[in-house]
Amino acid sequence: MDDNIIEYDLVRSKRKTTALYIRDGRVEVRAPLKLPKSIIDRFVMSKQKWIEEKLAITNEVLAQRESFALDYGSQITYRGRQYPIAAKEGNRIGFGDDSFYMPPELPPESIKRICIEIYRLLARRDLTNRTIEIAEIMSANPSSVKITNARTQWGSCTSKGSINYSWRLIIADDELIDYIIVHELAHLTEMNHSERFWDIVQRHVPDYSERRTRLNALQHKLAGEDWN
């Protein structure tokens, strides 16, 4: 990076403030429609140290993602524990005998795709069952439980009472899974993050702050793995 020039992508819109983002190894600036380019340039240069630190982290994550690959014998995580990927004669896929099993002689991309399919099946079963159990304890009544491909959210709750979980949540250990389930079920009572909402969460998960920190660490780890 040149000492005097930081390249960035500029996105103008009907906004009042200027914001800075790092996306896929690129610097993106969002600015008001009529803000002079010279002012934007000075704003970017004032954030040079922050940009360089964030780009270094982002580039490291991107390098990890590019090298991510799965093969027979690779260890992947299910509910906080690691299990191997195993070849099994026939056409069946699934989880059993302490392994993720699938037909032999598949290329890495097919192995990854099948692992995601198995994760989805496990998430649908385990997260639905555990939600029903915790909902009974919390006297909550979700209208449905769905599994999604969300990448930036572990879970969500709709205004119609549907609880949604990213299939990636099934990688987390049971304590972290329970925290997310409690979090989303609490939204059935408080559709916000008010003090009353956090009171509900704390009543059922007193150490939720510590669990949230662990979830952030897991999210950072998964960011360096190409599960798309």
Side-chain angles (χ1 to χ4, degrees), residues 72 86-93 101-105:
Y72 300 104
K88 187 174 183 179
E89 291 299 329
N91 296 317
R92 297 181 64 187
I93 68 169
Y101 62 83
M102 61 194 68
E105 300 181 7

Side-chain angles (χ1 to χ4, degrees), residues 7 17 23 33 40 46 60 70 88-89 94 105 115 119 124 128-129 135 140 159 176 178 192 197 199 217:
E7 294 185 358
T17 59
R23 301 190 185 282
L33 290 172
I40 298 172
S46 72
E60 180 182 353
L70 296 176
K88 187 174 183 179
E89 291 299 329
E105 300 181 7
C115 285
Y119 271 140
R124 186 172 295 111
T128 299
N129 290 341
S159 59
L176 305 186
D178 281 0
N192 51 50
F197 167 82
D199 284 343

Side-chain angles (χ1 to χ4, degrees), residues 183 187 190-198:
H183 183 113
H187 278 311
E190 294 290 334
M191 286 295 292
N192 51 50
H193 288 104
S194 64
E195 185 175 343
R196 286 185 296 180
F197 167 82
W198 289 114

Side-chain angles (χ1 to χ4, degrees), residues 95-129:
F95 175 81
D97 297 326
D98 286 336
S99 69
F100 284 72
Y101 62 83
M102 61 194 68
E105 300 181 7
L106 295 174
E109 278 302 311
S110 295
I111 291 174
K112 183 177 73 172
R113 176 181 55 78
I114 290 173
C115 285
I116 292 174
E117 188 175 343
I118 296 171
Y119 271 140
R120 284 180 173 276
L121 293 171
L122 293 170
R124 186 172 295 111
R125 181 193 69 186
D126 296 356
L127 300 182
T128 299
N129 290 341

Side-chain angles (χ1 to χ4, degrees), residues 11-228:
V11 179
R12 293 184 180 272
S13 63
K14 294 180 180 179
R15 57 182 298 145
K16 296 181 179 180
T17 59
T18 305
L20 192 61
Y21 302 90
I22 305 296
R23 301 190 185 282
D24 297 325
R26 298 277 304 173
V27 180
E28 179 182 296
V29 180
R30 298 187 180 183
L33 290 172
K34 297 183 179 180
L35 187 67
K37 181 71 161 46
S38 59
I39 294 178
I40 298 172
D41 288 342
R42 287 199 297 271
F43 169 76
V44 172
M45 291 307 300
S46 72
K47 304 294 184 181
Q48 181 172 357
K49 183 178 179 182
W50 180 89
I51 291 171
E52 291 176 345
E53 290 174 350
K54 291 297 182 181
L55 281 176
I57 295 171
T58 300
N59 289 335
E60 180 182 353
V61 170
L62 290 174
Q64 290 174 353
R65 287 175 63 86
E66 289 177 1
S67 64
F68 180 76
L70 296 176
D71 208 336
Y72 300 104
S74 296
Q75 297 275 333
I76 60 175
T77 309
Y78 162 53
R79 289 175 61 176
R81 293 180 57 191
Q82 288 202 318
Y83 298 91
I85 299 171
K88 187 174 183 179
E89 291 299 329
N91 296 317
R92 297 181 64 187
I93 68 169
F95 175 81
D97 297 326
D98 286 336
S99 69
F100 284 72
Y101 62 83
M102 61 194 68
E105 300 181 7
L106 295 174
E109 278 302 311
S110 295
I111 291 174
K112 183 177 73 172
R113 176 181 55 78
I114 290 173
C115 285
I116 292 174
E117 188 175 343
I118 296 171
Y119 271 140
R120 284 180 173 276
L121 293 171
L122 293 170
R124 186 172 295 111
R125 181 193 69 186
D126 296 356
L127 300 182
T128 299
N129 290 341
R130 188 58 177 153
T131 299
I132 292 171
E133 293 172 356
I134 295 179
E136 185 173 351
I137 295 170
M138 295 178 64
S139 299
N141 187 30
S143 60
S144 63
V145 176
K146 298 178 181 178
I147 304 302
T148 74
N149 190 42
R151 299 174 187 174
T152 59
Q153 284 186 309
W154 295 109
S156 61
C157 176
T158 71
S159 59
K160 295 182 179 180
S162 176
I163 305 294
N164 306 314
Y165 302 114
S166 168
W167 63 261
R168 293 166 177 80
L169 181 59
I170 204 63
I171 295 173
D173 67 50
D174 288 354
E175 284 191 345
L176 305 186
I177 290 173
D178 281 0
Y179 161 64
I180 292 297
I181 293 175
V182 168
H183 183 113
E184 300 312 330
L185 289 174
H187 278 311
L188 295 176
T189 301
E190 294 290 334
M191 286 295 292
N192 51 50
H193 288 104
S194 64
E195 185 175 343
R196 286 185 296 180
F197 167 82
W198 289 114
D199 284 343
I200 296 171
V201 173
Q202 188 168 36
R203 193 180 312 145
H204 298 279
V205 185
D207 63 341
Y208 75 85
S209 182
E210 186 269 338
R211 297 192 196 191
R212 189 165 55 183
T213 299
R214 286 161 56 195
L215 270 170
N216 289 338
L218 176 60
Q219 194 163 40
H220 179 74
K221 175 181 178 295
L222 293 180
E225 300 177 356
D226 184 10
W227 284 107
N228 296 330

